[in-house]
Amino acid sequence: MTPPIEIDLISDTSTRPSPAMLAAMVKARVGDEQRDEDPTVLELNARVADLLGMESALFLPSGTMCNQIAFLVHCRPGDEIIAAANAHVFGSEGAGASALAGAQFRTLPTANGVFQAAEVEAAIRAPRHRSPRSRVVSVEQTANRGGGSVWPTATLGEVAALARAHGLAAHMDGARLPNAAVASGEPMSAHTRGFDSAWIDLSKGLGCPVGAVLAGSSGFMEEALFWKHRLGGAMRQAGFIAAAGLYALEHNLQRLAEDHDNARLFAGLVDGAGGVAVFPAEVATNILFLDLTHCQLDAGTVASRLREHGIRFGVEGARRMRVVTHLDVSAEQVRRAAQAFTRIVGGG
Ligand SMILES: *Cc1c(COP(=O)(O)O)cnc(C)c1O
């Protein structure tokens, strides 16, 4: 019998609402969200618009819906989105941009999910009737498959300015923008400056059970609202879940630094053990990858041995695992996970 999962490092989505968060949810004032009558949702939208330095914001069920609505607003069929080859919008959203907005991707190879304005410039198509129309530049802060790396705000500003100069929209998948803000010490609005649309996930490091908030100009939001209804994203007494978001922005934002510390702690304990290499070499936030190329065991075997100890990591490939820290794993649990892992791979 496999024991229950006690230390879950598969993703920062595996958090459960804390008793205090649940208490805030139960107390929420609610109304019909679809009629703009839910005061808690309206408060959350205003709070996120303010944090992201945008005119307006919109509560949605998921981050994926935020990305898809943004592309639906920015693109017409046949348009092209420039994004990193390892971007979530390209590889992990069921090809939504092409299936829904009719857009295609032009992907940029990157080491860590971060690209430069000059690379975008080289990828923008010359306006010709036989070419796709370059329409959006999409960045991911932090870059998930880039090992949780943080885009410097200067690079983000250059990319946004270049997009504007060429008549493209700049979009930020900010699933972990809160992590980037805490890691860099610069507010979220410093990261989104110059962007046409950006969003944050409530259900990742912030620890909420559900939800994401998409922000942009009021003109963008008029169109986004239309798509929210069309896709079935409009809700009713959604204030109960928006209350979790407000609670999280108040209590769970600054503490993300602990998750970053725990990820660094883990990396320090396992790097080199049994031939395992940690990527990135300098862990930036709460995500890291384990390269098992030079290890005797493959990722699937290591994962099932870990499961026997009630520990779960992500399996990303035959020789690649992912570890994500979050508010439901303590430093002590991270130490235990590292110890179990090094023992399994024969490093100690
Ligand atoms: C999780 C994630 C998403 C999608 O968010 P959901 O709320 O799970 O739909 C998008 N982009 C990145 C980088 C993510 O990590």
Side-chain angles (χ1 to χ4, degrees):
M1 268 274 292
T2 348
I5 299 167
E6 196 198 331
I7 305 177
D8 199 358
L9 293 161
I10 197 163
S11 175
D12 46 10
T13 55
S14 59
T15 57
R16 304 297 164 92
S18 64
M21 178 181 277
L22 283 170
M25 293 169 75
V26 167
K27 283 206 304 264
R29 289 189 304 135
V30 297
D32 191 332
E33 189 264 350
Q34 193 171 122
R35 293 178 198 280
D36 252 358
E37 289 173 357
D38 190 299
T40 309
V41 170
L42 295 175
E43 188 184 340
L44 175 65
N45 288 344
R47 180 99 186 90
V48 173
D50 184 48
L51 284 169
L52 269 59
M54 298 278 191
E55 275 174 8
S56 185
L58 186 62
F59 185 44
L60 289 168
S62 73
T64 300
M65 198 183 277
C66 291
N67 279 330
Q68 295 310 320
I69 287 179
F71 294 146
L72 283 160
V73 173
H74 293 313
C75 299
R76 295 294 164 269
D79 284 352
E80 199 161 69
I81 301 164
I82 298 170
N86 60 9
H88 197 281
V89 291
F90 180 56
S92 303
E93 300 190 6
S98 55
L100 303 173
Q104 70 178 19
F105 282 95
R106 184 155 211 197
T107 57
L108 303 176
T110 66
N112 63 353
V114 176
F115 48 78
Q116 305 299 317
E119 295 170 78
V120 177
E121 189 157 36
I124 294 176
R125 311 266 186 183
R128 267 197 300 248
H129 61 264
R130 65 164 185 261
S131 301
R133 212 175 268 139
S134 303
R135 187 64 201 108
V136 179
V137 181
S138 183
V139 306
E140 193 174 297
Q141 182 72 304
T142 67
N144 180 342
R145 298 240 139 37
S149 45
V150 178
W151 289 68
T153 49
T155 308
L156 290 170
E158 285 157 18
V159 166
L162 182 95
R164 176 141 311 175
H166 288 268
L168 276 68
H171 171 71
M172 179 184 290
D173 170 342
R176 294 185 184 80
L177 171 58
N179 297 79
V182 168
S184 66
E186 292 170 279
M188 292 194 266
S189 58
H191 297 250
T192 55
R193 196 171 293 140
F195 279 76
D196 298 281
S197 49
W199 60 272
I200 57 168
D201 220 325
L202 302 173
S203 68
K204 300 272 165 80
L206 290 175
C208 300
V210 186
V213 188
L214 173 65
S217 67
S218 5
F220 169 87
M221 213 46 77
E222 276 298 307
E223 290 300 302
L225 200 52
F226 183 81
W227 281 108
K228 174 180 178 174
H229 279 261
R230 184 176 262 178
L231 297 175
M235 295 171 275
R236 300 299 183 184
Q237 286 71 31
F240 289 118
I241 48 177
L246 285 166
Y247 176 90
L249 289 169
E250 189 70 32
H251 298 94
N252 292 349
L253 189 56
Q254 292 312 320
R255 67 148 304 286
L256 290 170
E258 292 172 34
D259 300 342
H260 304 169
D261 289 345
N262 285 340
R264 273 189 290 270
L265 168 69
F266 180 88
L269 292 171
V270 307
D271 197 24
V276 172
V278 173
F279 171 84
E282 293 283 331
V283 172
T285 52
N286 68 328
I287 299 179
L288 60 90
F289 291 90
L290 301 167
D291 178 356
L292 276 63
T293 310
H294 302 293
C295 175
Q296 300 204 337
L297 305 173
D298 64 24
T301 308
V302 174
S304 46
R305 300 259 173 95
L306 283 167
R307 272 297 278 109
E308 289 163 16
H309 292 84
I311 298 166
R312 184 164 67 163
F313 293 3
V315 174
E316 294 273 323
R319 296 266 159 197
R320 197 169 148 89
M321 303 185 87
R322 191 181 75 159
V323 167
V324 187
T325 55
H326 53 77
L327 86 172
D328 283 0
V329 282
S330 63
E332 172 52 26
Q333 288 176 313
V334 160
R335 268 195 204 92
R336 269 165 53 204
Q339 198 174 51
F341 176 78
T342 46
R343 217 177 281 137
I344 289 164
V345 299

